[in-house]
Amino acid sequence: MNKIILKPGREKSLIRRHPWIFSGAVGKIVGKPESGETIQIFSAGGSFFAVGAWSPHSQISVRVWSFENLPIDRSFFISRIKDAIAARVAMFSGCETRLNACRLIAAESDGLPGVIADRYGDYIICQFLSAGAEAYRETIIDGLQEICSPAGIYERSDVSVRQKEGLSERAGILCGDAPPEVIEIVENGIKYAVNVRSGHKTGFYLDQRDNRRAVAVNAANRTVLNCFSYTGGFGTAAAVHGATHVTNLDSSQDALAMSDKNMRLNGINEKQYSNIEGDAFKVLRELRAQGQKFDLIILDPPKFIESQQQLFRGCRGYKDINILGLQLLNPGGLLFTFSCSGLMEPMLFQKIVADAALDAKREALIVGWLVQAPDHAVSMNFPEGFYLKGLQLQVR
Ligand code: SAH
């Protein structure tokens, strides 16, 4: 087997069982490993540390498959997939009739770097995001088929991060039946239509499941403004749980059409909701100018920060929308505000929202700290897996 030898002192992260080796830590490459090929990793002193996937085009040169000197073969993948599925079965035991969509494999956090698998009803939607994941795609698909017996497995690797690994984008049916374009799922007893072929991520923001429930339990008799609503995940949950009126706001007409479909699926009266198509930064200013107020506002923007260079600008963006959101709340109103940028530290986010409250001249209490749902688990050795954070504020 080909191998790499790390530069002196660069085994520290491996001692902590972190699964990434950056290109700057690689001292010597022994042999000529191909992209995605399994290699052994040794310290400069010659001690064995791990086996992982070689990725010559990426800044992350190696993603570790195992810290034991195991063969990386079919039985390795079967065992990792089984562990990941068993963890989800345990997380959701007792919820089976109210929930049929969740993340089955959360990449690095489940010991399968670059591999995402989400369940939507009878179908599995996959992403292979790293050279190693790509190299073993057939084995992984086979393993999922054997362990989960889905009606079909569909790929949504049409994402730009693949470029960093020297891989082109791809999507399509992998095995079994092609999923219908729109799959109806159930989450916390609420029905959602999900377009798994063209929707964001693998179709739906499964990571917000528990936060949608937090909104739902607070929605009764409140007017709700759901900003960056996508297909109306939060808005539909609020309407089902008795919100007097829900306004979904998004820049995408297709997303808003789907949120209407979701309202109808759950039998919500047309009078109980409306949509605004537009740029939230502009629309929120217009609503403020009109003197509009709401009792509950959700701010769930897309990732504003993709790299360290975007941090400052991203912080400005978060502060701006939070000022507007706070100013649009009635006294006693609730703000559910999120950041899905992994580079935004939770305490920095809290500080930005606190600054926003000062500027908005609104006093607010933090009454909840919100995070990604448990099926988007974070390995203790891979803190990068934690990305979604939010605050529930009650304004005076
Ligand atoms: N809250 C959603 C997920 C939001 S994803 C859920 O739980 O399902 C972010 C959404 O923001 C996308 O639907 C995207 O179309 C929308 N968006 C991006 N930029 C926007 C902008 N400037 N104004 C309004 N919507 C925007």
Side-chain angles (χ1 to χ4, degrees):
M1 195 187 289
N2 289 322
K3 59 182 178 184
I4 61 158
I5 297 161
L6 298 173
K7 289 180 184 163
R10 299 303 292 265
E11 64 277 21
K12 287 203 185 81
S13 65
L14 293 173
I15 293 169
R16 298 193 56 83
R17 298 207 155 208
H18 190 281
W20 289 351
I21 298 172
F22 287 96
S23 56
V26 177
K28 196 170 158 209
I29 306 162
V30 183
K32 279 204 171 70
E34 308 260 322
S35 174
E37 192 177 317
T38 301
I39 53 160
Q40 290 179 321
I41 300 122
F42 289 87
S43 67
S47 312
F48 169 84
F49 266 90
V51 280
W54 177 245
S55 185
H57 304 284
S58 172
Q59 294 270 72
I60 304 168
S61 296
V62 184
R63 287 173 205 247
V64 171
W65 289 125
S66 171
F67 291 94
E68 284 169 68
N69 203 353
L70 294 177
I72 303 306
D73 54 10
R74 185 182 158 83
S75 62
F76 166 81
F77 286 102
I78 293 276
S79 143
R80 288 279 158 100
I81 296 169
K82 275 191 176 157
D83 286 352
I85 306 289
R88 274 50 182 197
V89 169
M91 281 173 208
F92 295 118
S93 107
C95 306
E96 293 81 1
T97 58
R98 297 174 54 77
L99 191 143
N100 69 358
C102 73
R103 178 145 295 184
L104 300 173
I105 302 176
E108 273 78 350
S109 289
D110 282 302
L112 290 168
V115 183
I116 301 284
D118 290 340
R119 174 188 170 199
Y120 291 96
D122 297 332
Y123 294 88
I124 293 178
I125 316 296
C126 282
Q127 292 179 322
F128 300 99
L129 305 176
S130 63
E134 182 72 13
Y136 287 99
R137 52 187 289 127
E138 299 301 333
T139 317
I140 295 163
I141 296 160
D142 237 47
L144 278 168
Q145 181 72 39
E146 183 179 314
I147 296 160
C148 306
S149 316
I153 305 181
Y154 191 82
E155 177 171 18
R156 285 295 308 278
S157 300
D158 48 338
V159 280
S160 59
V161 288
R162 287 206 7 141
Q163 282 169 18
K164 294 187 186 173
E165 299 278 322
L167 305 169
S168 55
E169 296 186 16
R170 60 193 287 183
I173 180 76
L174 297 174
C175 71
D177 303 335
E181 195 159 305
V182 175
I183 298 182
E184 197 180 303
I185 61 156
V186 56
E187 176 192 278
N188 298 329
I190 296 169
K191 292 177 195 155
Y192 291 104
V194 177
N195 190 324
V196 294
R197 302 199 192 179
S198 66
H200 292 181
K201 299 201 190 208
T202 56
F204 199 57
Y205 288 84
L206 295 167
D207 52 358
Q208 288 283 26
R209 181 187 313 107
D210 290 5
N211 303 326
R212 281 190 279 267
R213 194 170 48 203
V215 164
V217 301
N218 285 285
N221 305 317
R222 288 191 144 113
T223 53
V224 174
L225 174 62
N226 182 20
C227 305
F228 307 95
S229 58
Y230 185 49
T231 56
F234 284 101
T236 309
V240 169
H241 285 262
T244 32
H245 187 270
V246 174
T247 308
N248 283 314
L249 160 57
D250 202 280
S251 54
S252 156
Q253 194 180 7
D254 287 351
L256 289 170
M258 197 67 139
S259 62
D260 283 349
K261 191 180 169 84
N262 285 328
M263 291 288 193
R264 285 197 298 272
L265 261 181
N266 290 281
I268 303 299
N269 188 308
E270 266 182 33
K271 292 197 190 105
Q272 212 187 323
Y273 63 91
S274 55
N275 296 330
I276 305 176
E277 184 191 332
D279 175 7
F281 289 87
K282 253 176 78 182
V283 173
L284 294 180
R285 283 186 166 76
E286 285 161 12
L287 294 172
R288 183 177 62 183
Q290 293 160 11
Q292 297 243 26
K293 296 279 182 197
F294 300 87
D295 302 321
L296 191 160
I297 296 179
I298 299 122
L299 296 173
D300 184 26
K303 209 172 175 180
F304 286 160
I305 306 164
E306 299 273 359
S307 65
Q308 278 298 338
Q309 293 91 293
Q310 293 174 357
L311 186 64
F312 185 72
R313 197 156 169 265
C315 290
R316 293 279 298 264
Y318 285 114
K319 185 174 170 193
D320 195 21
I321 52 163
N322 278 282
I323 293 172
L324 293 161
L326 286 158
Q327 288 174 333
L328 286 167
L329 278 171
N330 281 318
L334 295 175
L335 180 70
F336 290 81
T337 180
F338 298 94
S339 166
C340 62
S341 304
L343 291 170
M344 169 68 81
E345 296 283 338
M347 280 318 288
L348 178 58
F349 183 60
Q350 187 173 318
K351 193 166 181 303
I352 288 166
V353 179
D355 284 352
L358 281 175
D359 281 21
K361 300 190 170 54
R362 297 300 296 263
E363 251 185 75
L365 296 175
I366 299 173
V367 293
W369 279 268
L370 309 168
V371 293
Q372 64 213 52
D375 47 335
H376 294 59
V378 184
S379 159
M380 298 285 276
N381 308 320
F382 186 67
E384 292 85 347
F386 175 47
Y387 62 96
L388 178 63
K389 63 217 71 83
L391 295 170
Q392 180 181 344
L393 300 184
Q394 193 175 57
V395 300
R396 292 239 158 91

